[in-house]
Amino acid sequence: MKRIFTRISVLAVFFLLATNVAFAQNITVKGVVTDGGDKTTMPSVSVQVKGTQTGTQTDATGAYSISAPANATLVFTFVGYVTQEIAIGNRTTINVVLQSSSQQLDQVVVVGYGTQRKIDVTGSVASVKGEEISKQASVNPISALQGKVAGVSITNTGTPGSSPKITIRGTGTVYGNTGVLYVVDGVWFDDVSFLNPGDIENLSILKDASSQSIYGIRAANGVVLITTKKGKNGDPIISYNGSVGYKKVTNQIEMANATEYATIINELIKSNDATATPLFANPSSYGEGTNWYNQGFRNALQTNHQVSVNGGSEKTTYNFSLGYTNEDGIVKTQNYKRYTAKFSNDFQVLKPLKIGYTVSGTAINTNDISSGIFRQLYAAGPVVPVYYADGSYGDANDFGLGGGNNFNPQVTLDFFNQKSKNYRITGNVYAELTVAKHFTFRTSAGGDFGQNEVRAYSPVYQATQGQRTTQSTLNIDRDENRNWILENTLTYKNTFGDHNLTVLVGQTAQRRKNYFVKATAFDVPYSSDGDLYLALGTAATRRVEDGGSLLTSASYFGRVNYSFKDRYLLNATIRRDGASQFFNGGDLWGNFPAVGAGWVVTGEDFMKDQKVVNYLKLKGSWGKVGNAGVPVNPTTLTVDQSGKLVAFFNGVGYTGANVNSIVPSFLNWERTVGTDIGIEAKFLNNRLSIETGFYNKKTEQAIFDINVLQSIGTSSGKLIGNQADFQNRGFEFLATYADQAKNGFSYSISGNVGINNNKVLSVITGLNPIYAGGAGIANGALATRTVQGGPIGAFFGYQVAGIFQNTAEVAASAQRTSAKPGDFKYADVNGDGVIDGKDRVVLGNPNPKYSYGLSATFGYKEFDLSLDVQGVADVDVYNANVAYRFGNENFSKDFYDNRWRGEGTSTTYPSANVGSTANSAPNSFYVEDGSYIRLRNVQLGYTLPTSLMTKLTLRKIRVFVDAQNAINLFGYKGFTPEIGGTPTNAGIDANVYPLSATYRLGLQVTF
């Protein structure tokens, strides 16, 4: 009996193994896909083996053929139709009927602390897929959003690895942290420069107060939710995505050449002293001279590589990726390198219990450039050579060019030695327990640890008379950030009859700690291998400063989502936050409620027989959010004790003290109250989708820093306080048309436009108006003003009425005591016969009124093409470069060609004496139209046929070429009108980083 049992067992095992092998073998499945409505066959339907990259499309007759495991599942998808998943079940013929869907009710979007069906969303939430982000040639994922989302403005700085400025529906806050809140896998961040775009699965932008309010104190400037890629059940999938390309400067400013420069410098000398001898006896002898932009700029290499592994089983899934980016700057010597690693695991420990974690690490190394290099390249005299024949540096002083033009930019490039290192580890661990079927409890702990170090070394050198140092200096700045966040949520979700109900309650605790050390040492000897230490310097003069800050917060929140018959929708949220910033002299706690409602009109009986509108939803919301992004203890009075305050009594020195700050006795929460009304609709058998909305958000008790006289004893010259109320009111529109033709051609075209009006509603009496905008403005003048009834940071100054042509015009004018021929003629606005500060007027608005984007994708068989166009309109910028002069700086070719150089030569451009006090005051000449339109991205790809992939035992190979910012149309006379800045200093071009175009060749391989 034992022997018989053994034989039976062996046979059973053999049978099971043979069965598994049989099921594991691939079979060929064929069939035809038809339309459930008109019964016609459907070409270009996507057919994919679930959990793999294996797929194909139906041909012109709707037929398909695919090789797949006998126990696999096929997924059939087509635009405007309900996705179907069908188990093969060892069948070789599967015919499929796809049903048109007026709205895929199961489509899910990511919202705060969870997901919602698209139909249930009553607020304004925009979603962008990770694959759309990774198409862009951008190191930072936020840059790739430019032009893709209505009401969202992205301003890039151009510096490799820098974080762009994202503005959602206009300026939300003015002081402190004016950036959005990023939530990556549940952890809160101020920027996501550490994140590899290829690791992103989905990105959601919460635009209205009702969707933002679940994040309370950090949501005043909007919220961006990012979900990174997770593992999926299936065989391991190995993917490689790489590209190589280069960047080059676009719209480079043409400067005056050496002959032109010598000519205009002679004019400048004569304008100040008619009897003076010209500096250059024969300007034409200098020829073209040095083109300093060509000397300092280069075509910059850019390469990016990422490898990822994805897979798992029913019990556990995993995702792992490694990334490497190496990007040169367009300025010689500048370089940015980033290394990224990410790993995530999810475990189904028990049927009701799931746990998981995500951890990522980033290392960034940069070779930095001097912040003044662009000013030097703009202003350096072209008569000065880079090097003399003996190899020494060209010296401006040798040509009599002292003062502001006393530099050679090549010296700065060669001797500026600053390197930055940034290390960051982020992670999140969670446990999710399902209780009593309808309840889910989730607890998570996340955080990040980051260290940033900047080492700047200046050696002893003498290159020119003005560029030399006699003592070496080593500066080290090191910052450490240690942040953690704990969150617990309990969710009740149930469907009973026609009712859908989801209730969420939660609690959050956060701690954000910062340490910093700033140290300086002198007489540190140069080291060729780069090992530079503070201890090598002179001990007696070594200086070290350290400090830090600690911010804590506690929060409680709840949300209710209810729908009846998927037709009537209700959303209500409340959050209560406490923040340590307001512990002294402010309200410690703030409450942030919100409510939203929606009506799916097409769900009504009276809409069922009509054929015009496939789907129509009306929605509206109201909510409050807050801003805790202010400095620690802003109401604490600070005192300075230093050697300069020593007093002597009876020969004994006593250190005195000085109150060096002016602080408010009470600082309250900023609160933003927002209202949103929107419409979602689909037409033409769901091919045309439209979303439109109106919003009105008001920021109450906005915090500003007001300029005060430093002579009263303040160290910062600022007064911080709740100073004003302002609002942003606007309209958004998004339309998408998508279709797949029967010849295998598919396309999708999407356009969006956002209109925003920023207006200050009130300013505290006695502080009206608020002046700012002094950075980069000649003579330290303030070029912006914030006043009741106007926008934040409006350009403010004199209105130019022409150019004085002769002394008679000057004598007859209100400027007779300060002007001369060739100077600006300012309008006497108040008619009192004197030109003074009372004649200043609003000159322009740096807040764009219109932003728009157009995206299109086309597919034909194995080819794909995508286009992105982006732009802004009705916005102004201030060109501070023209008048920011201290001596004999160069001039742009535009200014040289159009300048006033004698009576009748120009009525719009001043003389070479543009940098004088009379001409450099903020005025309308420097305010230019900042509108632009650009081809943001174009990409052409080719995917090798599936039949070839089968022979190569690969899943997918795709090659692509693309270009970013290849075409730029604008009238601004600088490098780019895309100019950032804080809200009260925005739009001022004081030699911004130039705009560049990127061209790439890429390869994507899936194993």
Side-chain angles (χ1 to χ4, degrees):
M1 178 67 70
K2 182 176 180 181
R3 183 178 300 174
I4 295 174
F5 179 78
T6 301
R7 290 178 179 176
I8 293 175
S9 299
V10 171
L11 289 173
V13 171
F14 178 81
F15 176 78
L16 290 174
L17 291 173
T19 303
N20 288 335
V21 171
F23 274 98
Q25 293 176 344
N26 281 10
I27 62 174
T28 300
V29 182
K30 298 181 179 180
V32 177
V33 180
T34 56
D35 188 314
D38 56 19
K39 309 303 180 183
T40 59
T41 58
M42 298 179 62
S44 301
V45 175
S46 173
V47 185
Q48 190 167 13
V49 180
K50 185 177 181 180
T52 74
Q53 297 294 318
T54 302
T56 186
Q57 286 188 336
T58 57
D59 60 20
T61 64
Y64 73 92
S65 176
I66 191 170
S67 177
N71 60 348
T73 298
L74 297 182
V75 182
F76 298 82
T77 57
F78 192 82
V79 174
Y81 288 76
V82 177
T83 298
Q84 285 199 39
E85 296 187 8
I86 300 177
I88 295 176
N90 210 29
R91 291 177 290 173
T92 58
T93 301
I94 299 178
N95 295 320
V96 180
V97 178
L98 292 184
Q99 300 294 334
S100 175
S101 173
S102 61
Q103 174 76 3
Q104 295 193 29
L105 301 181
D106 59 348
Q107 181 182 352
V108 172
V109 296
V110 178
V111 295
Y113 298 98
T115 60
Q116 280 185 278
R117 299 183 306 165
K118 174 67 173 175
I119 191 176
D120 292 331
V121 176
T122 60
S124 183
V125 180
S127 294
V128 180
K129 294 182 179 179
E131 61 190 46
E132 291 297 316
I133 296 172
S134 60
K135 282 182 179 180
Q136 302 277 349
S138 303
V139 175
N140 192 294
I142 303 305
S143 297
L145 298 178
Q146 197 168 38
K148 289 187 174 296
V149 182
V152 176
S153 175
I154 309 290
T155 303
N156 292 291
T157 67
T159 305
S162 62
S163 299
K165 172 70 173 180
I166 177 171
T167 303
I168 301 175
R169 292 182 168 181
T171 299
T173 62
V174 174
Y175 179 72
N177 185 355
T178 60
V180 303
L181 167 66
Y182 297 99
V183 182
V184 182
D185 294 332
V187 183
W188 295 22
F189 298 95
D190 291 330
D191 75 271
V192 288
S193 57
F194 64 91
L195 190 61
N196 192 323
D199 286 331
I200 295 178
E201 179 73 26
N202 181 80
L203 186 149
S204 292
I205 301 175
L206 310 185
K207 298 194 291 183
D208 74 309
S210 73
S211 61
Q212 298 165 354
S213 65
I214 197 72
Y215 290 103
I217 61 174
R218 284 296 312 279
N221 295 298
V223 182
V224 176
L225 306 179
I226 297 177
T227 303
T228 60
K229 292 178 179 178
K230 298 287 187 179
K232 296 180 181 180
N233 185 5
D235 296 332
I237 298 174
I238 303 174
S239 300
Y240 166 78
N241 190 343
S243 66
V244 62
Y246 71 95
K247 297 192 302 180
K248 65 176 298 183
V249 176
T250 65
N251 302 86
Q252 182 170 308
I253 301 174
E254 184 179 3
M255 304 300 294
N257 63 31
T259 296
E260 295 164 341
Y261 171 79
T263 301
I264 197 171
I265 290 298
N266 284 345
E267 291 178 12
L268 176 61
I269 294 172
K270 284 288 187 181
S271 69
N272 291 313
D273 183 359
T275 63
T277 302
L279 182 61
F280 300 99
N282 184 11
S284 61
S285 65
Y286 292 94
E288 291 292 323
T290 304
N291 187 318
W292 286 106
Y293 277 137
N294 290 348
Q295 177 65 24
F297 292 160
R298 65 179 173 184
N299 290 339
L301 180 67
Q302 180 189 68
T303 181
N304 186 70
H305 307 277
Q306 184 182 35
V307 177
S308 63
V309 182
N310 190 300
S313 63
E314 293 182 359
K315 293 294 185 181
T316 178
T317 59
Y318 57 87
N319 181 277
F320 172 70
S321 72
L322 291 173
Y324 169 71
T325 296
N326 188 345
E327 181 178 354
D328 288 333
I330 58 171
V331 177
K332 295 175 180 177
T333 72
Q334 188 178 27
N335 178 261
Y336 171 90
K337 291 181 181 179
R338 183 181 66 188
Y339 308 84
T340 62
K342 174 185 170 292
F343 194 82
S344 66
N345 255 151
D346 296 282
F347 305 92
Q348 195 71 51
V349 180
L350 300 170
K351 187 175 182 180
L353 177 62
K354 184 178 182 180
I355 64 174
Y357 68 88
T358 298
V359 61
S360 63
T362 306
I364 298 174
N365 297 324
T366 65
N367 287 332
D368 303 325
I369 56 174
S370 168
S371 60
I373 189 63
F374 294 110
R375 176 63 193 167
Q376 292 187 14
L377 293 173
Y378 180 93
V383 297
V384 181
V386 182
Y387 304 103
Y388 293 129
D390 62 0
S392 61
Y393 291 100
D395 191 342
N397 287 278
D398 295 340
F399 296 82
L401 301 172
N405 193 34
N406 189 16
F407 45 69
N408 179 327
Q410 188 63 47
V411 175
T412 302
L413 291 173
D414 291 343
F415 287 95
F416 185 83
N417 182 355
Q418 178 175 297
K419 300 180 185 299
S420 300
K421 295 182 179 181
N422 182 284
Y423 305 100
R424 195 165 194 171
I425 297 177
T426 67
N428 175 270
V429 59
Y430 75 91
E432 195 170 270
L433 178 66
T434 301
V435 183
K437 187 178 179 179
H438 300 297
F439 290 90
T440 301
F441 174 74
R442 179 185 175 94
T443 182
S444 66
D448 73 291
F449 172 82
Q451 177 178 296
N452 181 63
E453 180 181 284
V454 179
R455 284 177 171 252
Y457 178 70
S458 177
V460 175
Y461 72 96
Q462 181 170 344
T464 69
Q465 291 186 43
Q467 292 171 284
R468 58 182 178 174
T469 58
T470 58
Q471 185 178 40
S472 62
T473 307
L474 175 63
N475 291 298
I476 297 179
D477 292 344
R478 179 179 296 167
D479 283 276
E480 289 186 6
N481 294 289
R482 302 175 184 179
N483 309 320
W484 57 254
I485 179 172
L486 300 176
E487 293 186 321
N488 298 287
T489 60
L490 179 64
T491 304
Y492 170 79
K493 189 173 185 178
N494 195 7
T495 299
F496 41 96
D498 294 326
H499 306 272
N500 286 299
L501 177 65
T502 301
V503 180
L504 168 76
V505 294
Q507 169 268 334
T508 296
Q510 291 189 71
R511 173 173 167 167
R512 300 168 63 86
K513 196 164 189 177
N514 168 264
Y515 300 90
F516 70 85
V517 175
K518 300 179 184 294
T520 301
F522 298 95
D523 300 317
V524 176
Y526 174 75
S527 173
S528 59
D529 59 7
D531 289 333
L532 301 167
Y533 305 103
L534 295 168
L536 299 175
T538 304
T541 58
R542 195 178 303 142
R543 298 194 300 264
V544 177
E545 174 192 359
D546 70 339
S549 62
L550 175 64
L551 302 176
T552 60
S553 65
S555 309
Y556 305 91
F557 53 89
R559 180 175 62 205
V560 176
N561 294 321
Y562 170 76
S563 68
F564 176 67
K565 292 185 175 181
D566 289 329
R567 190 183 308 169
Y568 308 109
L569 316 171
L570 180 65
N571 179 304
T573 305
I574 181 68
R575 181 168 179 129
R576 180 170 172 81
D577 286 312
S580 60
Q581 294 96 306
F582 300 93
F583 184 76
N584 293 316
D587 287 340
L588 181 60
W589 291 90
N591 299 314
F592 306 99
V595 63
W599 176 29
V600 181
V601 182
T602 43
E604 301 291 349
D605 292 338
F606 63 81
M607 293 290 289
K608 290 184 177 179
D609 295 330
Q610 57 85 34
K611 304 295 183 183
V612 178
V613 183
N614 303 118
Y615 176 76
L616 176 64
K617 180 171 77 173
L618 308 180
K619 59 183 181 178
S621 63
W622 172 93
K624 282 187 177 184
V625 291
N627 175 36
V630 297
V632 182
N633 300 325
T635 59
T636 301
L637 201 66
T638 59
V639 177
D640 177 33
Q641 280 189 300
S642 62
K644 64 184 179 182
L645 301 175
V646 173
F648 290 89
F649 298 94
N650 297 324
V652 179
Y654 296 88
T655 301
N658 176 53
V659 175
N660 63 353
S661 63
I662 300 177
V663 299
S665 59
F666 186 88
L667 192 67
N668 213 337
W669 292 85
E670 284 185 338
R671 287 176 171 83
T672 299
V673 182
T675 303
D676 187 88
I677 300 173
I679 300 174
E680 297 177 15
K682 290 180 178 290
F683 305 91
L684 305 177
N685 200 22
N686 300 296
R687 291 179 174 87
L688 176 62
S689 302
I690 292 177
E691 293 188 31
T692 184
F694 166 82
Y695 63 87
N696 183 24
K697 66 176 187 178
K698 177 183 177 183
T699 300
E700 302 172 335
Q701 302 183 82
I703 300 173
F704 283 73
D705 53 339
I706 309 300
N707 288 300
V708 295
L709 294 174
Q710 286 187 289
S711 59
I712 64 178
T714 63
S715 59
S716 65
K718 302 286 186 179
L719 171 62
I720 302 169
N722 301 107
Q723 311 291 3
D725 296 342
F726 62 88
Q727 75 173 12
N728 289 278
R729 180 180 294 175
F731 173 79
E732 296 171 355
F733 178 81
L734 168 66
T736 302
Y737 187 89
D739 197 7
Q740 296 186 357
K742 295 184 178 181
N743 60 358
F745 176 71
S746 62
Y747 63 93
S748 174
I749 301 175
S750 178
N752 71 81
V753 62
I755 304 174
N756 183 75
N757 288 287
N758 176 269
K759 182 180 180 180
V760 178
L761 301 178
S762 63
V763 178
I764 293 177
T765 303
L767 293 176
N768 187 7
I770 300 170
Y771 292 98
I777 304 297
N779 303 313
L782 300 178
T784 73
R785 185 184 73 161
T786 300
V787 65
Q788 182 174 328
I792 293 175
F795 299 127
F796 186 71
Y798 298 100
Q799 182 66 48
V800 175
I803 304 296
F804 288 116
Q805 299 297 320
N806 50 55
T807 55
E809 284 190 10
V810 174
S813 74
Q815 295 168 247
R816 53 189 173 272
T817 60
S818 60
K820 54 187 174 182
D823 285 351
F824 287 124
K825 183 190 299 182
Y826 296 133
D828 184 9
V829 175
N830 62 0
D832 63 358
V834 177
I835 299 298
D836 56 21
K838 298 177 183 178
D839 294 302
R840 292 177 296 173
V841 295
V842 174
L843 303 175
N845 187 354
N847 304 287
K849 183 174 183 180
Y850 303 100
S851 59
Y852 55 89
L854 177 67
S855 299
T857 59
F858 305 92
Y860 180 70
K861 295 184 178 180
E862 287 81 21
F863 290 93
D864 61 88
L865 174 68
S866 62
L867 299 167
D868 293 302
V869 177
Q870 175 262 334
V872 299
D874 199 0
V875 60
D876 300 297
V877 295
Y878 191 98
N879 191 344
N881 301 311
V882 179
Y884 197 67
R885 311 179 62 81
F886 299 96
N888 298 312
E889 291 89 351
N890 198 9
F891 297 81
S892 68
K893 186 67 162 58
D894 169 75
F895 187 89
Y896 175 84
D897 290 341
N898 295 284
R899 74 195 187 283
W900 184 92
R901 50 193 179 277
E903 187 169 352
T905 56
S906 177
T907 58
T908 54
Y909 280 62
S911 69
N913 198 31
V914 65
S916 67
T917 303
N919 291 319
S920 63
N923 65 62
S924 59
F925 176 79
Y926 304 113
V927 178
E928 301 183 36
D929 184 4
S931 303
Y932 68 84
I933 180 172
R934 69 168 54 112
L935 180 60
R936 174 63 181 167
N937 194 67
V938 56
Q939 185 177 102
L940 175 64
Y942 176 76
T943 303
L944 273 64
T946 304
S947 58
L948 179 58
M949 292 298 94
T950 303
K951 294 179 181 179
L952 298 175
T953 65
L954 296 174
R955 299 175 187 267
K956 178 182 179 181
I957 294 181
R958 177 178 179 266
V959 294
F960 67 87
V961 293
D962 65 15
Q964 186 177 83
N965 299 334
I967 300 175
N968 305 276
L969 303 176
F970 55 81
Y972 177 59
K973 297 181 179 64
F975 276 105
T976 172
E978 188 178 350
I979 301 168
T982 58
T984 56
N985 297 275
I988 299 176
D989 181 3
N991 284 281
V992 298
Y993 201 100
L995 178 69
S996 61
T998 303
Y999 303 91
R1000 297 190 304 169
L1001 172 65
L1003 174 66
Q1004 297 169 335
V1005 182
T1006 303
F1007 301 90

